[in-house]
């Protein structure tokens, strides 16, 4: 395993864009590839903001609840395997950064540190991300879950978007780095069996939902919420961008009455986020919180904990500025009415509250 010392990286002030972070981080880490990565990025491009004027935006409130915990920003750190590939202290660095930011880090099953060391880096219970791995024969108690429950969890997030058998780049990268890979045997019935072992009162989420039908199934099973994600584009080639999936799922959930002021179902998003405008667009399309993956991984590769903190603080500042331009003082005021979708020839259309064209 590489010893990531962060030595020689440009200062964070000099890494103002995602492209600059990526270039600096590429010298320290490697990763898989897939064509959907590009589609994740271009999915943001057609969505344009509709600025509003003469609104009192002297104070912008970003307080929210993410995976059951009070947070100061809607931006959280998604689960990324093997944190010591980018920082010597691995996931402990990510936990401390999230705590300083008053945000969340989803502790991954495939961690580079013993779970007990990760928990010691924080004063609080953690959100734990679960895989059903290829070497797991016990569907009721996947790897690491028993220990995480003993240490204290306040949310469980089951990743379900990487279980299809494959032999491509994601398989080579993941299996080489971890020695295991998500099991292709997981299905809805096995998930029901697995869920029986989860403690009552701990909210459960599915991460990797990419279509309305699966999101509605999650509602039917009584889950607390879903994370719209395609593993940063590495799970399935030739698939729609994650933001396109978010629009579809958000519209379906609202239509069915499962998303809105009177609903307790929670919708999250990650994959392809590179700037504050991306964050705000996802929030407008229905996400409660927006997860970073590669972006904070790159920041950690360059400057460890401080790099992550500076990155998220910068993004959070820019989210506030963007919300002010939209005339929104609270996250609850963001919605599809803040957006227009670009069409061919430069024409744009406004959307109604369910993401449909408004004439």
């Amino acid at each position: 395993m590489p010893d990531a010392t962060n030595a020689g990286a440009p200062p964070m002030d000099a890494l103002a864009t995602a492209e600059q972070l990526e270039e600096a981080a590429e010298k320290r880490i490697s990763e898989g590839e897939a064509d959907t990565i590009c589609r994740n990025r271009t999915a943001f491009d057609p969505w344009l903001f509709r600025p509003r004027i003469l609104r009192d935006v002297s104070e912008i409130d970003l307080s929210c609840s993410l995976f059951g915990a009070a947070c100061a920003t809607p931006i959280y750190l998604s689960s990324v395997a093997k944190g010591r590939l980018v920082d010597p202290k691995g996931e402990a660095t990510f936990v401390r950064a999230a705590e300083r930011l008053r945000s969340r880090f989803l502790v991954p099953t495939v961690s580079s540190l013993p779970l007990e060391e990760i928990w010691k880096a924080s004063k609080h219970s953690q959100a734990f991300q679960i895989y059903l791995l290829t070497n797991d024969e016990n569907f009721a108690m996947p790897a690491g879950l028993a220990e995480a429950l003993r240490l204290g969890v306040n949310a469980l997030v089951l990743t379900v978007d990487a279980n299809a058998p494959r032999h491509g780049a994601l398989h080579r990268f993941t299996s080489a780095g971890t020695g295991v890979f998500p099991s292709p045997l997981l299905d809805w019935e096995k998930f029901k069996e697995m869920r029986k072992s989860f403690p009552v009162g701990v909210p459960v989420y599915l991460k990797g939902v990419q279509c309305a039908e699966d999101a509605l199934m999650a509602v039917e099973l009584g889950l607390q919420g879903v994370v719209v994600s395609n593993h940063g584009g590495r799970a399935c080639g030739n698939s729609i961008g994650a933001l396109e999936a978010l629009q579809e799922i958000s519209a379906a959930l609202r239509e069915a009455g499962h998303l809105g002021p009177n609903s307790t179902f929670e919708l999250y998003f990650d994959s392809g986020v590179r700037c504050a405008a991306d964050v705000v667009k996802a929030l407008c399309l229905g996400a409660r919180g927006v997860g970073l993956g590669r972006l904070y991984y790159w920041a950690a590769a360059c400057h460890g904990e401080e790099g992550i903190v500076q990155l998220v603080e910068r993004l959070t500042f820019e989210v506030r500025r963007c919300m002010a331009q939209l005339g929104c003082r609270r996250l609850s005021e963001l919605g599809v009415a803040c957006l227009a979708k670009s069409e061919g020839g430069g024409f744009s259309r406004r959307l109604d509250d369910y993401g449909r064209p408004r004439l």
Side-chain angles (χ1 to χ4, degrees):
M1 179 179 298
D3 180 14
T5 62
N6 315 130
M12 281 299 294
D13 289 346
L15 303 174
T17 67
E19 290 76 15
Q20 290 170 333
L21 265 177
E22 180 178 15
E23 183 180 355
E26 277 181 344
K27 300 174 183 177
R28 294 161 174 80
I29 58 176
S30 60
E31 60 178 321
E33 58 184 0
D35 67 292
T36 310
I37 294 174
C38 179
R39 200 167 291 112
N40 277 349
R41 291 296 309 125
T42 58
F44 289 93
D45 295 341
W47 295 100
L48 307 174
F49 293 125
R50 301 179 62 248
R52 300 298 301 271
I53 61 172
L54 296 178
R55 303 260 182 123
D56 180 0
V57 289
S58 55
E59 294 186 9
I60 307 294
D61 181 10
L62 296 185
S63 61
C64 55
S65 174
L66 302 180
F67 301 100
C71 294
T73 175
I75 301 170
Y76 66 91
L77 309 182
S78 196
S79 54
V80 180
K82 294 296 181 180
R84 288 189 63 200
L85 289 172
V86 294
D87 185 89
K89 297 179 182 177
E91 291 76 17
T93 290
F94 306 158
V95 166
R96 284 192 295 268
E99 193 162 288
R100 287 175 60 186
L101 293 160
R102 291 177 56 206
S103 183
R104 294 286 258 166
F105 166 55
L106 306 185
V107 179
T109 294
V110 186
S111 296
S112 57
L113 296 177
L115 293 182
E116 190 162 358
E117 289 188 32
I118 300 172
W119 257 254
K120 286 180 179 178
S122 172
K123 301 175 183 177
H124 307 290
S125 295
Q126 300 298 314
F128 185 59
Q129 175 267 338
I130 312 168
Y131 273 130
L132 183 67
L133 299 172
T134 48
N135 57 352
D136 276 331
E137 297 180 359
N138 183 2
F139 289 104
M141 190 59 66
L145 179 56
E147 185 177 6
L149 293 176
R150 178 182 64 82
L151 293 168
V153 298
N154 51 22
L156 293 171
V157 183
L158 176 65
T159 295
V160 293
D161 64 353
N163 296 77
R166 59 175 59 77
H167 297 284
L170 178 58
H171 180 274
R172 291 193 302 272
F173 176 73
T174 306
S175 59
T178 66
V180 293
F181 203 75
S183 171
L185 298 175
L186 183 61
D187 58 21
W188 288 106
E189 291 304 315
K190 291 184 177 67
F191 169 70
K192 292 177 185 178
E193 178 185 344
M194 180 191 302
R195 195 180 175 197
K196 293 176 183 178
S197 65
F198 298 168
V200 176
V202 175
V204 180
Y205 305 82
L206 291 185
K207 179 180 182 295
V209 176
Q210 298 168 67
C211 68
E213 295 89 337
D214 288 338
L216 292 171
M217 178 69 77
V219 174
E220 184 178 328
L221 291 180
L223 298 181
Q224 187 65 41
V226 298
V227 182
V228 178
S229 170
N230 59 19
H231 230 88
R234 298 191 301 143
C236 180
N238 294 294
S239 62
I240 63 174
L243 196 74
E244 295 169 313
L246 175 64
Q247 182 193 2
E248 173 190 323
I249 290 168
S250 175
L253 290 173
R254 288 186 186 279
E255 197 79 60
H258 301 308
L259 199 64
N262 300 319
S263 173
T264 59
F265 193 76
E266 301 172 21
L267 185 61
Y268 297 90
F269 174 81
D270 73 31
S271 296
V273 176
R274 296 292 184 272
C275 63
D278 295 346
V279 173
V280 176
K281 290 175 183 180
L283 294 171
C284 287
L285 289 174
R288 170 190 289 251
V290 178
L292 305 181
R294 286 182 176 86
L295 204 53
Y296 87 83
Y297 215 52
W298 295 336
C302 294
H303 291 288
E305 179 183 335
E306 194 59 37
I308 298 172
V309 171
Q310 289 190 36
L311 168 70
V312 178
E313 286 180 341
R314 179 190 303 164
L315 291 175
T316 300
F317 172 83
E318 293 172 353
V319 166
R320 280 197 175 89
R321 185 166 60 88
C322 187
M323 287 178 59
Q325 293 170 333
L326 295 173
C328 298
R329 295 182 296 176
R330 292 176 290 275
L331 294 172
S332 60
E333 296 175 1
L334 292 171
V336 290
C338 298
L339 300 174
K341 191 169 186 181
S342 173
E343 302 288 3
F347 174 76
S348 62
R349 61 183 181 179
R350 184 181 174 187
L351 305 180
D352 70 9
D353 290 339
Y354 296 98
R356 299 174 297 214
R358 176 177 291 175
L359 302 178

